[in-house]
Amino acid sequence: MFILAEIGRITAQLRRAQDLSQLQAALNAHVSLSRWQQIEHGCRNATIDTLRRMAEALGVPPLVLGILSWSDSEILSALRHLPQAKPFQTGQNIALLRKTQGLSQRALAQRAHVSVSRLRDLEHGCANVTISLLAHIAKGLGISLLALCALGLSGAQVLDMVHRARAAAQMKAP
């Protein structure tokens, strides 16, 4: 999946910009070295919680890990026409989008190729979700993964996060 390769590439770029070894970064994020390496190589699906810890260890918001190389116009285009929602409340926002589109949990589950019980658990906040699962759900809703993850944030807020992370990626630690 392309998004996993992009997350891995950006993670490696941010880590190198801070002169951190993979081991140092993994320890800072409280993940195993092998997990860190797999994610950097784009060949391991990660949970949102793991990506959050990795992003925090690198000093950036998790949202930017998959979009740092996007242009500002690509980011703003992906965020157009979204309903008002609570930032960083993924499960609740999936339910909001599903209901806005008049979809039942069963209908969205079929579109997203996930089980109804998994979707229900996610909507209720009872499941830790992976990037690939979120990508399937976003596709089932007819939106980008960025739009799903940035729901409740303004375009200006997302661009500010990206611009700060870009600056951090280009700075070398002393």
Side-chain angles (χ1 to χ4, degrees):
M1 176 176 264
F2 175 73
I3 189 72
L4 298 175
E6 180 73 3
I7 288 170
R9 190 185 65 71
I10 290 169
T11 300
Q13 180 183 358
L14 289 166
R15 178 186 54 77
R16 284 191 296 269
Q18 296 178 27
D19 289 329
L20 292 172
S21 69
Q22 287 180 325
L23 178 59
Q24 290 169 314
L27 289 172
N28 292 347
H30 304 286
V31 299
S32 70
L33 175 60
S34 63
R35 169 75 51 101
W36 188 283
Q37 291 169 333
Q38 290 169 338
I39 292 170
E40 271 196 14
H41 287 102
C43 59
R44 172 83 183 199
N45 197 12
T47 64
I48 297 299
D49 183 58
T50 299
L51 291 179
R52 179 190 53 76
R53 286 185 280 135
M54 291 175 72
E56 286 174 1
L58 296 169
V60 298
L63 179 64
V64 304
L65 291 180
I67 62 169
L68 199 60
S69 63
W70 292 21
S71 70
D72 289 0
S73 61
E74 289 173 315
I75 293 168
L76 291 174
S77 177
L79 299 176
R80 286 198 176 97
H81 310 297
L82 295 175
Q84 291 295 320
K86 298 176 184 174
F88 311 115
Q89 300 293 319
T90 307
Q92 292 174 6
N93 289 342
I94 289 169
L96 171 69
L97 286 169
R98 177 180 58 75
K99 291 173 185 176
T100 300
Q101 294 182 19
L103 296 172
S104 66
Q105 284 181 335
R106 181 174 304 284
L108 177 56
Q110 287 174 341
R111 283 185 181 185
H113 305 288
V114 300
S115 71
V116 176
S117 61
R118 183 77 169 134
L119 179 60
R120 182 185 60 246
D121 288 348
L122 177 59
E123 285 186 0
H124 290 250
C126 300
N128 196 359
V129 63
T130 62
I131 295 299
S132 63
L133 178 63
L134 277 183
H136 285 293
I137 292 171
K139 186 175 180 181
L141 290 166
I143 62 174
S144 70
L145 180 59
L146 168 62
L148 178 59
C149 294
L151 207 58
L153 299 174
S154 70
Q157 289 171 307
V158 173
L159 287 178
D160 182 56
M161 289 181 209
V162 169
H163 293 164
R164 289 174 189 253
R166 285 180 188 153
Q170 294 182 9
M171 292 179 9
K172 282 280 189 186

